[in-house]
Amino acid sequence: MISSDSIVALSSGRLPAGVAVLRISGPQTRFVVETIAGGMVKARAAALRKFRAPDGTVLDSGLVIFFPGPASFTGEDVAEFHVHGGRAVVARMLETISGFDGVRHAEPGEFTRRAFLNGKVDLVETEALADLVNAETEAQRRFAVKNAEGVQSELYLSWRRRLIHARAMIEAEIDFADEDDVPGSVSDTVWSDVRAMIGEIDRHIAGFHAAEIIRDGFEVVILGAPNAGKSSLFNALARRDAAIVTDEPGTTRDLLEVTLDLGGLRVRLTDTAGLRDAPGKVEAIGIEKARAKADRADLLLLLEDILSPGGAGPVQTAAPLLRIGTKLDLLSEQAADDAAGRYDFVISTVNGSGVEALLAEIGRRATEAAGNVGDVLPSRLRHVELLGEANRHLRRAFDDHAAGQELRAEELRLAADRLGRIVGAIDVEDMLDVIFSQFCIGK
């Protein structure tokens, strides 16, 4: 695709900064570089230049790099101006560059969109680039890098190639059954591979929750009766005063959340309202939110005051649960030993007893739930939905023996179509606006 206009944007981080990077892509790129940098520069080599507006006004001095298309990120001529990262400098540079005929400010994700339309990346790699920009933990970075390198795309394309081959063999058997160079029956081989593929796709879909944990975080929810020590534990795990702690029951009435980085994995920790009967109207809303959050958790920490157990009532959830006894510092040594047998962990947020062991257990469970970060996993809900549709077509093709080879081959085509939609190998125009709107401007 050849664009008729050029786009420009700040592609580096928040200002002010030591250095700001301005990126331009499109057919006017070369002329902009020649004008502002006072002449053309060597391709793919940083050159120190004084930057001037068309009227000769000095704007700044810095580095300029020119990447001629199609061997560039977008597939078009691309240039980067590395300037001092002051707001006034960047604003004046952007104003000057966008003042050239045929140059405008980029929309969110427009550089990456041009890269996709010019065949430089597919849709899965595009989404992985967005994940890489937003990565906060080592696991998120590794997961995004792997997908950006095309490993996930290659898996989907390999399944699609197998389906195209299967269709070709079935249609050859239908059309040329009497020819000597067509095997007597390819059906057994084809349908055996389809059955294997159904299992492969099912196992891949099953890995989506692990991918969600890597991308979005391992959900840990703290539950318990009022004054069980939930907010104190929340602050201790967060290592800061993120929640208000008082002796008054019902202090926490809404959900409070912090994000932890445990062993390179993102863990989302939520403090909740105390669970009890006959709460006030506002507190009842908080308790309802707490129970709803617990239903979506990956791990529950059910806290109980060792000196005053009970009060929270039954907690009905399918999520794994750890029973935590709190206020260990108020117990005698003998009482502490007795309490240890009734709980998974006994802790004190006053002297820190048991807190590090609990944190290590949360990290262990998060790592276990995330599985091997190096595994190829579906990274988006849209991938799972399309994979599910593909498998439904494959099952219909495999199971419906009475349908005839022609109709079964059509089901294989539909399955291959769904796989192609994941990577953008076929028309996906209706999805592009949604996907690229998630990007920051300049990417």
Side-chain angles (χ1 to χ4, degrees):
M1 185 198 79
I2 300 177
S3 302
S4 60
D5 56 357
S6 297
I7 53 176
V8 63
L10 172 67
S11 289
S12 52
R14 183 180 300 176
L15 302 176
V19 174
V21 179
L22 309 181
R23 175 184 286 172
I24 178 172
S25 176
Q28 285 76 30
T29 299
R30 185 182 294 269
F31 177 69
V32 170
V33 171
E34 291 175 341
T35 303
I36 291 181
M40 200 53 205
V41 296
K42 183 179 178 181
R44 298 180 184 82
L48 178 62
R49 294 292 177 91
K50 193 178 292 287
F51 302 140
R52 299 177 183 272
D55 64 4
T57 304
V58 175
L59 303 173
D60 194 15
S61 60
L63 300 177
V64 59
I65 310 173
F66 177 68
F67 305 91
S72 68
F73 173 65
T74 64
E76 304 171 331
D77 285 348
V78 173
E80 291 180 356
F81 295 95
H82 296 221
V83 300
H84 294 93
R87 290 188 177 90
V89 173
V90 171
R92 188 72 174 90
M93 285 287 294
L94 287 173
E95 180 185 4
T96 300
I97 295 173
S98 62
F100 285 81
D101 289 339
V103 182
R104 60 175 174 82
H105 291 282
E107 298 175 0
E110 193 167 3
F111 287 94
T112 309
R113 182 170 186 151
R114 291 190 179 199
F116 166 73
L117 294 174
N118 288 322
K120 308 302 288 187
V121 292
D122 62 35
L123 280 184
V124 175
E125 292 167 344
T126 293
E127 291 164 328
L129 288 175
D131 288 342
L132 190 58
V133 170
N134 295 320
E136 297 176 347
T137 67
E138 176 61 13
Q140 289 173 330
R141 184 197 65 80
R142 288 168 55 193
F143 185 59
V145 166
K146 192 176 186 69
N147 289 338
E149 290 176 342
V151 176
Q152 189 181 355
S153 297
E154 178 52 36
L155 175 63
Y156 301 150
L157 290 173
S158 70
W159 284 332
R160 185 167 181 260
R161 286 193 295 268
R162 284 163 65 182
L163 288 178
I164 292 172
H165 174 74
R167 280 184 55 215
M169 296 299 288
I170 290 174
E171 290 172 3
E173 187 177 68
I174 294 170
D175 295 339
F176 306 106
D178 297 333
E179 300 293 332
D180 293 337
D181 57 350
V182 175
S185 175
V186 298
S187 294
D188 290 344
T189 301
V190 166
W191 298 119
S192 175
D193 189 47
V194 168
R195 179 173 57 188
M197 201 179 312
I198 291 171
E200 292 170 19
I201 294 175
D202 277 339
R203 288 189 292 274
H204 183 68
I205 291 174
F208 180 58
H209 185 57
E212 284 185 303
I213 289 173
I214 295 171
R215 291 184 65 249
D216 301 327
F218 183 75
E219 292 274 5
V220 180
V221 176
I222 303 175
L223 296 176
N227 277 359
K230 300 184 300 300
S231 295
S232 295
L233 176 60
F234 183 73
N235 289 343
L237 295 178
R239 291 185 168 86
R240 62 185 176 88
D241 291 336
I244 297 173
V245 178
T246 72
D247 294 331
E248 180 183 341
T251 300
T252 302
R253 297 190 174 189
D254 207 347
L255 303 180
L256 300 176
E257 185 177 292
V258 295
T259 301
L260 310 178
D261 186 338
L262 299 183
L265 280 171
R266 188 182 192 210
V267 174
R268 295 211 306 258
L269 182 68
T270 303
D271 185 19
T272 63
L275 305 180
R276 63 173 173 175
D277 296 328
K281 184 175 181 180
V282 175
E283 192 178 350
I285 296 173
I287 291 174
E288 184 61 32
K289 286 185 177 181
R291 294 191 184 279
K293 186 72 172 179
D295 289 339
R296 304 189 299 271
D298 296 306
L299 177 65
L300 297 179
L301 306 182
L302 182 59
L303 272 58
E304 189 173 80
D305 183 342
I306 300 174
L307 298 175
S308 180
V315 176
Q316 298 178 345
T317 177
L321 184 146
L322 292 176
R323 298 182 62 84
I324 315 295
T326 63
K327 305 182 183 180
L328 178 63
D329 56 292
L330 300 179
L331 273 65
S332 66
E333 185 175 341
Q334 180 59 47
D337 290 340
D338 293 341
R342 304 197 303 270
Y343 300 98
D344 296 304
F345 290 88
V346 288
I347 66 169
S348 168
T349 58
V350 174
N351 59 29
S353 297
V355 173
E356 287 301 321
L358 174 59
L359 193 63
E361 176 64 11
I362 294 172
R364 185 192 69 77
R365 288 179 179 246
T367 300
E368 185 178 85
N372 185 351
V373 178
D375 290 343
V376 182
L377 304 172
S379 56
R380 288 289 193 284
L381 180 59
R382 80 170 187 92
H383 302 171
V384 173
E385 291 172 345
L386 288 167
L387 287 166
E389 290 180 23
N391 245 10
R392 284 191 288 275
H393 288 298
L394 290 180
R395 285 193 171 90
R396 282 198 285 268
F398 184 78
D399 295 334
D400 196 356
H401 300 283
Q405 295 287 59
E406 294 89 345
L407 294 178
R408 297 174 79 187
E410 174 62 12
E411 293 290 352
L412 296 184
R413 185 193 70 78
L414 292 172
D417 172 271
R418 299 310 185 267
L419 294 172
R421 285 178 177 270
I422 299 177
V423 297
I426 60 174
D427 181 33
V428 288
E429 186 64 32
D430 55 334
M431 292 187 291
L432 295 187
D433 289 340
V434 174
I435 290 172
F436 290 106
S437 66
Q438 301 172 28
F439 280 74
C440 57
I441 293 174
K443 187 56 184 171

